[in-house]
Amino acid sequence: MTTDDPAGDAADGPANGAHAARAKSFGAVAAAYDVGRPTFPVESLTWILGPGRGLQVLDLGAGTGKLAAVAAELGHDVIAVDPSQEMLEVCRRRSGIDTMVGAAESIPLAHASVDAVIVGQAFHWFDHARALPEIARVLRPNGVLGLLWNNADTVVPWVRRIFQTIQGDGVGGSDRFDPVPILDQSNLFTPPEFARFRHWHDLNREGLRQLAQSHSRVAVLKDTRRDQVLDQIELIYEHTARPPEALRMPYFTDCFRAHPSEFANYRRTVDGPVAPHL
């Protein structure tokens, strides 16, 4: 499943009830998500996967397949796994991607069956104690785990106003999610490397409205309140956009890559499914 704003939502943790409710809200807004959300820059996936082609790649929490599509365009064999049937229905419209309904905590793939697991905008939704052993289980010994987040550049005033409206907190900042402590604690992966790539997402009036609607904080609102938020978003568009030019939303893509640790490879060899180190 694909995520929302990594700031507030991720901080709740996967066990939080409100967090779980937001996580389930994406299927209902799959079309809005696909239109409004940015893709991922090619450079980010090349950094994670390397310059070659033909890898077996699992996009975990794939949503509508925005990240999976980039991997497929780079010449890789891609399987998109997501718990939302509605999101995967959108993903299936893209070429070169196989889809399966499933969760990070119980991946429906064989042992040591993929060269890479990539996760775009979704890792902070996972139950990490269960998901990380599953990821290590399906990865081959020399495989790679890539975690990516698109974060809007809220230093730009009009971008900050948009996310203040979406988040409803008057702040509109982005406390970026840090997966490093979670990966380190698991002992299943090597110390993660980090890279950041800048890109832009072009939006017209309807696209900006869809972007707002795709965020879980907006999706779970009652109809009247949601309409008020979307009207405020359109007002920001009126004061910012210069049609027919698109509104160029600036983003940073934060990327982390890590490989199965010696411990993970040993456990995979000895007894199949990888268990967390105790």
Side-chain angles (χ1 to χ4, degrees), residues 95-171:
S95 61
I97 302 171
D98 294 323
T99 64
M100 298 179 71
V101 174
E105 297 78 13
S106 182
I107 299 172
L109 293 179
H111 188 65
S113 58
V114 297
D115 300 300
V117 175
I118 54 177
V119 185
Q121 303 292 116
F123 183 73
H124 62 268
W125 292 115
F126 297 169
D127 179 344
H128 302 117
R130 296 167 58 203
L132 287 176
E134 276 289 276
I135 292 170
R137 177 184 67 81
V138 300
L139 272 174
R140 292 170 179 151
N142 295 320
V144 61
L145 169 62
L147 309 177
L148 304 89
W149 281 271
N150 279 324
N151 295 293
D153 185 1
T154 54
V155 172
V156 180
W158 63 265
V159 177
R160 184 167 61 252
R161 288 196 299 274
I162 287 171
F163 283 90
Q164 285 172 342
T165 305
I166 289 172
Q167 295 174 16
D169 58 8
V171 179

Side-chain angles (χ1 to χ4, degrees), residues 33-223:
Y33 198 106
D34 198 53
V35 171
R37 293 302 183 98
T39 186
F40 295 84
V42 170
E43 295 83 1
S44 64
L45 262 191
T46 301
W47 180 79
I48 289 170
L49 300 175
R53 299 167 62 89
L55 297 180
Q56 295 290 328
V57 177
L58 165 62
D59 183 0
L60 189 57
T64 63
K66 284 185 173 286
L67 182 59
V70 179
E73 289 166 4
L74 287 171
H76 301 296
D77 298 321
V78 185
I79 301 172
V81 171
D82 195 274
S84 169
Q85 184 69 253
E86 295 92 340
M87 296 292 256
L88 287 179
E89 286 176 5
V90 178
C91 183
R92 292 186 187 107
R93 300 171 194 165
R94 306 179 189 277
S95 61
I97 302 171
D98 294 323
T99 64
M100 298 179 71
V101 174
E105 297 78 13
S106 182
I107 299 172
L109 293 179
H111 188 65
S113 58
V114 297
D115 300 300
V117 175
I118 54 177
V119 185
Q121 303 292 116
F123 183 73
H124 62 268
W125 292 115
F126 297 169
D127 179 344
H128 302 117
R130 296 167 58 203
L132 287 176
E134 276 289 276
I135 292 170
R137 177 184 67 81
V138 300
L139 272 174
R140 292 170 179 151
N142 295 320
V144 61
L145 169 62
L147 309 177
L148 304 89
W149 281 271
N150 279 324
N151 295 293
D153 185 1
T154 54
V155 172
V156 180
W158 63 265
V159 177
R160 184 167 61 252
R161 288 196 299 274
I162 287 171
F163 283 90
Q164 285 172 342
T165 305
I166 289 172
Q167 295 174 16
D169 58 8
V171 179
S174 180
D175 295 330
R176 291 176 173 85
F177 186 80
D178 183 6
V180 174
I182 295 168
L183 293 175
D184 286 346
Q185 188 175 6
S186 76
N187 289 323
L188 295 174
F189 295 91
T190 59
E193 301 170 85
F194 173 78
R196 174 175 289 172
F197 301 88
R198 187 172 179 84
H199 63 120
W200 288 263
H201 182 41
D202 290 350
L203 293 163
N204 58 18
R205 181 195 301 272
E206 181 59 20
L208 183 59
R209 186 181 176 93
Q210 300 276 47
L211 170 66
Q213 192 171 346
S214 75
H215 279 265
S216 62
R217 285 180 173 86
V218 176
V220 299
L221 293 174
K222 293 182 178 179
D223 291 347

Side-chain angles (χ1 to χ4, degrees), residues 254-270:
D254 288 345
C255 306
F256 301 82
R257 68 181 179 193
H259 303 274
S261 66
E262 291 184 5
F263 171 73
N265 290 331
Y266 170 75
R267 290 301 299 264
R268 190 191 304 104
T269 301
V270 169

Side-chain angles (χ1 to χ4, degrees), residues 6-24:
D9 288 351
D12 289 337
N16 182 281
H19 181 95
R22 291 193 186 110
K24 293 176 181 177

